[in-house]
Amino acid sequence: MSRIYGLTLKGIDALPVEVEVCLTGGLFSISIVGLADTAIKEARERVRISLGTLGIKLKGHVSVNLAPADLPKEGSLLDLPIAVGIAREAGFIPEGVGGIFMGELALDGRLRQVRGGVPAAFLARQMGLPLFAPRGNAVDVSMVEGVEAYACSNIAELFCHLRGERPLQKLDFALPEAKDLAIEPDFADIRGQAAAKRGLEIAAAGSHGVIFVGSPGSGKTMLARAIRGILPPLSDDELIEVMRIRSARGMHLNVDRTRPFRAVHHTSSVVAICGGGVDLKPGELSLAHRGVLFLDEITEFRRDVLESLRQPLEDGSITVSRASGTVTYPASVLLVAACNPCPCGYLGDVVKSCSCSPSDIDRYAKKLSGPILDRIDIHLQVPRLTPEELLELGGDAENSLSVKKRVMAARAIQLERWHPFGINYNAELSEKMIKRHLGLTREAKMFIKSVGVNFNLTGRGLSRVLKIARTIADLAGEKNVRDAHLAEALTYRGGTVLER
């Protein structure tokens, strides 16, 4: 009996699957057992015909067992290990061959790219076995250091390697270099809105969530999209985290260090945003990990969708429980949201008058619950500029690259300070760390005690203010948090009509 290792995916992790093959006499047939889904059971024909292209004619009954039997297996990742197991049992490749195999077989023997290359490489490194993957997975497999991995275009190349005839070249570890890419829109393209741009700079520096409230045409969406140009590139560890999620989801891997930016439509469901489904795939929250989750027109989202964001925004991860199992996904995101101040959109507008009744405005404001607003660090009012103001403003605004340099400097300070504690950004600080390591001056403590009560802050709201002040101090290159930093931080908590 031959045993070959394949794998299956659960969430963003790869789990080993032992492929046992046994050939017996009788009429030809192939049976696959071991809690396999339809895609795996259909592998019988793909395996039979692809082996036939190599002149391997199967006879008798072929029994394939996928162990452990109680682990659900899904997808086409097991095509290749099943084919290798059958070929080894039939004597076409040596008995001593071992490793982890993954790939989908075409009828002519080609190997098609499959999802899960990065998790598979982690599994191979953990088990100390070589990994054999399709050529299309070479990029994501080579991103994991310390794994012996090979890529092949078809099953013929693989069998020649396993027989020692034409060895495959081992994949080299490679990660992309960071590049200063021009991302539109640029900060210099945004006329006015100095306060909003300052708030975005602070949000990017400390990974603080931000919400824009303003009339239609005030530039909320443009501002939100401009944050991509001031975010620093992904570090090595962050890049691997992001690519592991994308690989498990089966997304096309555009391997660069640009942070994810996921703009979610307001009709999205809880499963689409949080993840789950039959196969427990990661949702938009996890796809935005270490990047930006943009919720435009946040008040139009269903209430249950918004309330499902409470725990992930607080913990930086999300646990999805379904009948098929429980999976925890990373979900450390910078939330950017935008909405109108009222149903018609023109409350407080300088050009057009609001047509909403007070009850309409109150009902609209209640679409966002207090706990959700409390978890968003920076609240910004975005006024609409008149045509005259837009024409008079010059084009000498600071560009995104200049702002990005300050953001990167502030994040470097945070990384040096918080890395021993296992966190990267000020937004991730726990209550204990705020009390012990924030660096408040004596004057700052007296200031927050004297004016904090006027802002009606909750305990969480006060923590948010202190974190924002720490980021402002880091942008200024100052070691301690002073009262001036706290004063600016307080201006970002409250003040929009949604918090009346």
Side-chain angles (χ1 to χ4, degrees), residues 335-350:
L335 177 66
V336 178
C339 66
N340 296 327
C342 65
C344 77
Y346 295 103
L347 180 64
D349 190 68
V350 297

Side-chain angles (χ1 to χ4, degrees), residues 68-397:
D70 61 345
L71 174 68
K73 294 92 180 172
E74 55 88 22
S76 56
L77 293 85
L78 292 170
D79 284 14
L80 186 58
I82 291 174
V84 172
I86 293 175
R88 193 171 80 168
E89 181 69 8
F92 288 92
I93 57 177
E95 281 291 329
V97 168
I100 299 177
F101 299 84
M102 62 178 292
E104 177 183 332
L105 284 171
L107 296 183
D108 59 358
R110 288 179 294 111
L111 287 176
R112 291 194 172 101
Q113 181 179 354
V114 291
R115 65 188 184 97
V118 176
F122 276 102
L123 176 64
R125 187 177 69 178
Q126 176 186 341
M127 297 181 66
L129 294 173
L131 174 65
F132 298 91
R135 184 70 61 184
N137 289 103
V139 174
D140 45 334
V141 168
S142 63
M143 295 177 63
V144 180
E145 189 174 11
V147 61
E148 179 185 352
Y150 303 90
C152 45
S153 302
N154 53 64
I155 197 171
E157 287 185 7
L158 176 62
F159 281 16
C160 288
H161 171 83
L162 297 178
R163 289 196 294 261
E165 297 171 1
R166 291 195 301 274
L168 295 169
Q169 185 175 1
K170 181 181 175 182
L171 295 177
D172 295 325
F173 169 69
L175 289 176
E177 297 293 330
K179 299 179 181 178
D180 286 330
L181 302 175
I183 299 177
E184 299 294 334
D186 194 280
F187 262 39
D189 301 330
I190 303 174
R191 301 291 183 93
Q193 306 297 1
K197 288 192 279 189
R198 170 62 175 172
L200 272 184
E201 179 181 345
I202 296 170
S207 194
H208 302 287
V210 58
I211 182 170
F212 297 108
V213 181
S215 304
S218 59
K220 302 185 298 295
T221 302
M222 190 176 185
L223 282 163
R225 294 187 180 278
I227 196 173
R228 295 178 296 173
I230 65 173
L231 289 173
L234 292 165
S235 65
D236 289 351
D237 292 339
E238 291 174 333
L239 178 64
I240 294 298
E241 291 176 12
V242 170
M243 291 304 164
R244 187 171 187 171
I245 297 169
R246 290 182 180 177
S247 178
R249 183 64 188 264
M251 298 174 60
H252 175 69
L253 295 185
N254 183 19
V255 184
D256 59 43
R257 293 182 182 265
T258 304
R259 292 184 179 271
F261 184 91
R262 305 292 297 184
V264 182
H265 195 262
H266 65 265
T267 58
S268 300
S269 65
V270 174
V271 172
I273 292 182
C274 296
V278 177
D279 49 1
L280 292 175
K281 287 185 179 179
E284 292 292 339
L285 259 174
S286 298
L287 294 176
H289 179 61
R290 298 302 182 189
V292 176
L293 179 69
F294 178 40
L295 304 183
D296 202 2
E297 301 299 339
I298 188 173
T299 50
E300 300 302 323
F301 282 77
R302 286 180 3 214
R303 184 68 175 247
D304 60 329
V305 173
L306 294 179
E307 295 305 311
S308 68
L309 299 178
R310 286 192 189 187
Q311 177 260 335
L313 292 179
E314 196 74 20
D315 299 340
S317 63
I318 181 168
T319 300
V320 180
S321 297
R322 298 290 184 269
S324 56
T326 300
V327 176
T328 298
Y329 302 115
S332 179
V333 301
L334 194 167
L335 177 66
V336 178
C339 66
N340 296 327
C342 65
C344 77
Y346 295 103
L347 180 64
D349 190 68
V350 297
V351 177
K352 189 173 181 179
S353 299
C354 174
S355 60
C356 301
S357 66
S359 60
D360 290 337
I361 297 173
D362 288 340
R363 192 161 44 248
Y364 181 82
K366 290 177 181 177
K367 288 186 176 182
L368 285 181
S369 67
I372 289 295
L373 283 172
D374 211 26
R375 284 168 168 80
I376 301 177
D377 296 359
I378 299 175
H379 302 185
L380 294 169
Q381 192 82 33
V382 184
R384 182 164 65 145
L385 302 178
T386 63
E388 293 78 10
E389 289 174 326
L390 288 172
L391 291 174
E392 290 175 0
L393 289 171
D396 55 350

